[in-house]
Amino acid sequence: MNGPLLWYVNRGSGLVLLVVFTLTVVLGVLATGNGRRLWPRFVTQGLHRGLSLVSAALLLGHVLSAVVDDYVDIRWWQALVPFGATYRPLYLGLGTLALDITVAVALTSLVRTRLGPAVWRAVHLTSYLAWAVAVVHTVGIGTDAADPFGRVVVAACAGAVLVAATARVAMVSRRARPA
């Protein structure tokens, strides 16, 4: 099955997914800690969880459209195993790695109360790695990443995470300093 519709669905879902995944990461960064907030933590965490679900749905659509479209030969198992692909193996493998990490984070979040906070937090922190790997996947395999709009989207996503991470580190270091 192929055609321009699947190609556009895959391209569009990939860029929108990067934006939503970025917002999810930014809200996750800002929802942690006990510092001053612009709005209550439950609002930030609620948005974070909601966007996580939207990210999961977009990710599913992105992967399915890539596998179903036979213009490029991407098999279903290549969406799950991060090596062995014939089409752009490095970048497809990175996308698969991001998917696998995201699935692990989602599954451990579903059983969070049974895992304990330390295990859950350790697995959850790998979502930063998943985001970074997804950015490299986008730049390396995304057909829109090379055009000006794609570059702006990727740069804005990277900038948003960098600003949120910097703000979080500043909050932590401010709290750690003796008064």
Side-chain angles (χ1 to χ4, degrees):
M1 182 177 200
N2 70 20
L5 178 62
L6 281 173
W7 187 64
Y8 285 121
V9 166
N10 191 260
R11 289 172 59 201
S13 64
L15 273 181
V16 172
L17 174 58
L18 181 63
V19 170
V20 174
F21 194 14
T22 297
L23 291 172
T24 303
V25 169
V26 167
L27 285 170
V29 169
L30 298 177
T32 58
N34 296 320
R36 273 193 266 158
R37 302 185 192 301
L38 297 174
W39 49 78
R41 176 185 275 177
F42 74 88
V43 172
T44 309
Q45 288 179 343
L47 284 171
H48 172 70
R49 288 183 186 125
L51 283 174
S52 296
L53 291 173
V54 172
S55 292
L58 283 169
L59 183 56
L60 181 63
H62 182 65
V63 170
L64 286 176
S65 66
V67 171
V68 170
D69 187 1
D70 59 10
Y71 181 74
V72 175
D73 187 26
I74 299 174
R75 307 291 169 88
W76 67 267
W77 61 267
Q78 293 170 342
L80 303 173
V81 180
F83 52 84
T86 53
Y87 177 74
R88 297 194 184 181
L90 173 63
Y91 296 113
L92 187 58
L94 289 173
T96 301
L97 179 62
L99 169 71
D100 293 345
I101 293 169
T102 302
V103 167
V105 170
L107 291 176
T108 56
S109 291
L110 292 173
V111 295
R112 179 180 182 176
T113 56
R114 294 180 184 199
L115 290 177
V119 173
W120 175 82
R121 187 172 291 111
V123 174
H124 211 75
L125 285 174
T126 64
S127 60
Y128 298 120
L129 174 63
W131 176 84
V133 168
V135 169
V136 176
H137 166 78
T138 301
V139 170
I141 206 170
T143 55
D144 291 320
D147 70 38
F149 178 75
R151 287 186 195 142
V152 168
V153 169
V154 171
C157 289
V161 170
L162 184 62
V163 167
T166 302
R168 176 74 178 119
V169 168
M171 279 192 296
V172 168
S173 65
R174 228 180 290 128
R175 256 188 284 131
R177 271 187 267 153

